């Protein structure tokens, strides 16, 4: 069975998904249009304070970097083959719609990621109501809104991650793991953000794992990884030819020093107490922002303000449901495969401490690598409840969570732009004098 025939075999699901895609695409565009217009109307003023080397996108939000506007920049160990994408997109945007091109394209991509979550839930056995609620809940998340217009790697990385997880779901259902497609997904995950290859490889191994045929599991896994390695070598050779002899390999050591190890520090509860909020809850419910660094015009979470009670209730409620979903399905390969994304994120950002050295500038931006997994696990918990009354109560609670998140994110998204405008008008010019 092909990917299309597995996921798109139900016409009613397809119509719902098409409606979802259209609504969310429109939602992202309408909500973010004022930001893009503000950048266009104030380009001369914003460029004076922009830390982004003259890139047309000049707002420094949540530590995102408008890397899609850096053209054929040399690949790095963090984003090895990203310039295959950023090069053409930089040219197309400069010759056409500018930042508006990224808003349109990335809104479509994030809306597509949302419907992938819907299809994953439907094919894992969730009914339409649960699938629709949780996919919409994911779709209105703060992270999906902001990454729809910031020209960085994250919407593309998140889409590839979720698409890869969807493909593995199909493979598990059919007990068939074709070598070339899985090697290609390994290449894609590595090419956009190298750490994503770890989660995909982990999810693949757990999907393949069979206690009776352990040797067969290992052989198949290694065959796929070797094929992926050969593909990576091939693409590195193409990168060498296309980009004047510059490849991600030539930048490994400086990239590790400046772009990877430079972000690592040990976790300290006294200093990083809000890390879990910044990693999980803020990407769902937009936090209050502050101008935390006038020198870099950096806007990020205002850590001086307490999180509202409703934010904690919704965020912790979702986390609790996802934990219960993990416990409920702890014996299944699907649960472990999806949980890999969350477990690796905790290992990377809390245990290893990647990103903690720039903690004040936000951990928000990493959420696309694992956020979807919380919604998948939480939905599996709600779907598995047999008591009809209890299930209806939980569905009602999730519906309330969805509406609260939607209202919070719309209000905070609008107020964030007001705060940014005020900062450029009243704060930054005075500091410059």
């Amino acid at each position: 069975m092909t990917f299309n025939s597995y996921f798109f075999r139900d016409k009613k699901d397809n119509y719902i998904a098409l409606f979802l895609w259209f609504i969310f695409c429109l939602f992202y565009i309408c909500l973010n249009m004022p930001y893009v217009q503000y950048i266009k109307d104030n380009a001369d003023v914003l460029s004076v304070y922009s830390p982004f080397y003259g890139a047309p996108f000049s707002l420094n939000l949540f530590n995102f970097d408008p890397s899609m506007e850096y053209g054929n920049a040399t690949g790095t160990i963090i984003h090895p083959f990203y310039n295959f994408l950023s090069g053409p997109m930089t040219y197309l945007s400069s010759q056409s719609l500018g930042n508006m091109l990224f808003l349109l394209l990335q809104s479509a991509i994030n809306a597509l990621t949302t419907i992938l979550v819907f299809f994953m839930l439907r094919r894992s056995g969730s009914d339409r109501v649960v699938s629709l609620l949780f996919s919409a809940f994911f779709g209105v998340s703060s992270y999906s809104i902001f990454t729809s217009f910031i020209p960085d790697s994250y919407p593309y990385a998140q889409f590839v991650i979720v698409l890869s997880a969807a493909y593995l779901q199909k493979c598990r259902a059919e007990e068939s793991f074709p070598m070339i497609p899985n090697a290609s997904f390994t290449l894609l995950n590595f090419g956009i953000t190298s750490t994503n290859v770890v989660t995909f490889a982990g999810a693949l191994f757990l999907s393949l794992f069979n206690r009776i045929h352990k040797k067969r599991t290992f052989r198949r896994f290694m065959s796929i990884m070797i094929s992926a390695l050969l593909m990576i070598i091939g693409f590195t050779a193409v990168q060498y030819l296309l980009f004047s002899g510059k490849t991600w390999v030539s930048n490994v050591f400086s990239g590790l020093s400046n772009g990877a190890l430079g972000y690592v520090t040990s976790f300290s509860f006294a200093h990083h107490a809000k890390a879990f909020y910044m990693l999980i809850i803020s990407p769902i419910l937009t936090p209050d922002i502050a101008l935390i660094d006038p020198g870099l015009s950096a806007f990020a979470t205002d850590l001086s303000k307490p999180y509202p009670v409703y934010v904690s209730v919704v965020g912790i409620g979702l986390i609790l449901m996802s934990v219960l979903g993990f416990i409920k399905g702890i014996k299944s390969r699907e649960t472990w495969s999806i949980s890999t994304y969350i477990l690796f994120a905790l290992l990377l950002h809390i245990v290893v401490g990647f990103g903690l050295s720039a903690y004040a500038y936000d951990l928000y931006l990493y959420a696309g690598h694992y956020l979807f997994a919380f919604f998948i696990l939480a939905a599996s918990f709600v779907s598995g409840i047999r008591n009809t009354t209890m299930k209806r109560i939980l569905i009602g609670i999730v519906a309330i969570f969805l509406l609260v998140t939607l209202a919070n994110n719309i209000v905070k998204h609008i107020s964030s732009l007001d705060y940014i405008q005020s900062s450029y008008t009243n704060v930054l010019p005075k500091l410059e004098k």
Side-chain angles (χ1 to χ4, degrees):
M1 187 182 294
T2 65
F3 182 89
N4 289 343
S5 58
Y6 176 77
F7 279 102
F8 307 136
R9 61 179 182 262
D10 188 306
K11 286 186 178 181
K12 190 170 183 178
D13 286 347
N14 295 343
Y15 289 134
I16 292 172
L18 183 61
F19 176 76
L20 268 181
W21 179 86
F22 178 77
I23 291 297
F24 276 104
C25 196
L26 194 63
F27 173 67
Y28 299 141
I29 291 171
C30 291
L31 204 54
N32 287 313
M33 187 77 75
Y35 280 82
V36 175
Q37 192 63 45
Y38 173 71
I39 294 171
K40 182 180 179 181
D41 293 343
N42 299 274
D44 292 339
V45 175
L46 269 59
S47 63
V48 173
Y49 305 101
S50 175
F52 297 132
Y53 316 107
F57 188 91
S58 47
L59 292 182
N60 187 357
L61 298 170
F62 295 113
N63 210 22
F64 285 106
D65 188 358
S67 56
M68 286 295 287
E69 296 182 337
Y70 291 161
N72 298 329
T74 306
T76 67
I77 184 60
I78 304 297
H79 308 290
F81 299 132
Y82 188 50
N83 53 356
F84 281 96
L85 180 63
S86 65
M89 289 307 301
T90 299
Y91 176 79
L92 285 174
S93 64
S94 65
Q95 298 299 312
S96 57
L97 301 175
N99 288 316
M100 184 64 68
L101 178 65
F102 294 108
L103 171 60
L104 297 176
L105 174 63
Q106 292 172 190
S107 293
I109 289 173
N110 280 358
L112 193 57
T113 304
T114 298
I115 68 168
L116 277 174
V117 171
F118 171 77
F119 279 117
M120 288 181 69
L121 292 174
R122 287 293 291 136
R123 295 302 161 260
S124 65
S126 295
D127 60 46
R128 285 196 179 95
V129 173
V130 172
S131 300
L132 188 58
L133 273 177
F134 275 97
S135 57
F137 191 6
F138 171 77
V140 302
S141 65
S142 176
Y143 192 88
S144 295
I145 295 170
F146 273 101
T147 58
S148 291
F149 81 103
I150 301 173
D152 203 349
S153 63
Y154 293 91
Y156 310 93
Q158 180 177 246
F159 172 71
V160 169
I161 287 168
V162 178
L163 181 62
S164 303
Y167 185 76
L168 287 179
Q169 181 179 336
K170 169 192 172 293
C171 291
R172 288 192 300 271
E174 298 179 344
E175 290 296 339
S176 174
F177 296 84
M179 184 181 300
I180 299 303
N182 279 291
S184 299
F185 276 118
T186 306
L187 169 69
L188 276 174
N189 279 279
F190 173 78
I192 296 179
T193 306
S194 56
T195 52
N196 293 345
V197 77
V198 178
T199 47
F200 179 73
L204 172 63
F205 182 80
L206 291 168
S207 297
L208 277 165
F209 188 74
N210 187 310
R211 291 182 180 179
I212 300 174
H213 304 290
K214 292 180 182 178
K215 289 184 178 180
R216 185 192 300 173
T217 296
F218 185 75
R219 283 198 301 267
R220 190 61 176 173
F221 177 76
M222 290 307 300
S223 297
I224 293 171
M225 290 298 105
I226 291 170
S227 298
L229 178 60
L230 293 174
M231 288 182 177
I232 290 169
I233 292 171
F235 268 81
T236 302
V238 173
Q239 189 179 48
Y240 180 87
L241 295 173
L242 290 179
F243 300 103
S244 305
K246 296 179 180 178
T247 70
W248 66 274
V249 177
S250 59
N251 201 21
V252 167
F253 294 108
S254 62
L256 284 172
S257 176
N258 300 322
L261 299 179
Y263 284 95
V264 175
T265 194
S266 300
F267 179 83
S268 165
F269 187 81
H271 295 96
H272 309 125
K274 294 185 178 181
F276 291 98
Y277 270 84
M278 297 167 77
L279 284 167
I280 304 170
I281 298 177
S282 289
I284 299 170
L285 296 108
T286 301
D288 291 312
I289 67 168
L291 179 61
I292 63 165
D293 187 338
L296 294 175
S297 304
F299 297 90
T301 298
D302 187 351
L303 295 174
S304 67
K305 290 185 178 180
Y307 290 92
V309 173
Y310 71 86
V311 169
S312 298
V313 170
V314 173
I316 294 173
L318 178 67
I319 293 170
L320 180 60
M321 283 189 284
S322 62
V323 170
L324 292 172
F326 173 77
I327 294 171
K328 170 183 166 293
I330 198 167
K331 294 183 179 179
S332 72
R333 290 181 300 166
E334 180 161 351
T335 296
W336 278 103
S337 178
I338 292 297
S339 299
T340 299
Y341 296 91
I342 298 173
L343 295 173
F344 179 72
L346 294 176
L347 173 65
L348 181 65
H349 299 299
I350 301 300
V351 179
V352 176
F354 180 81
L356 291 180
S357 66
Y359 170 77
Y361 292 87
D362 239 301
L363 303 175
Y364 177 104
L365 75 169
Y366 301 121
H369 299 164
Y370 53 84
L371 191 63
F372 80 101
F374 283 98
F375 293 88
I376 297 287
L377 290 173
S380 71
F381 167 68
V382 175
S383 295
I385 294 176
R386 296 182 180 180
N387 184 292
T388 304
T389 302
M390 181 60 69
K391 187 173 182 178
R392 286 176 178 172
I393 291 172
L394 276 175
I395 287 174
I397 291 172
V398 174
I400 293 171
F401 283 4
L402 166 61
L403 293 175
V404 169
T405 302
L406 176 62
N408 175 85
N409 291 352
I410 291 175
V411 171
K412 289 289 181 68
H413 204 68
I414 295 170
S415 64
S416 292
L417 181 56
D418 290 339
Y419 177 83
I420 290 167
Q421 290 174 323
S422 176
S423 297
Y424 277 99
T425 303
N426 302 318
V427 179
L428 290 172
K430 293 179 181 178
L431 292 173
E432 190 178 42
K433 292 179 182 179

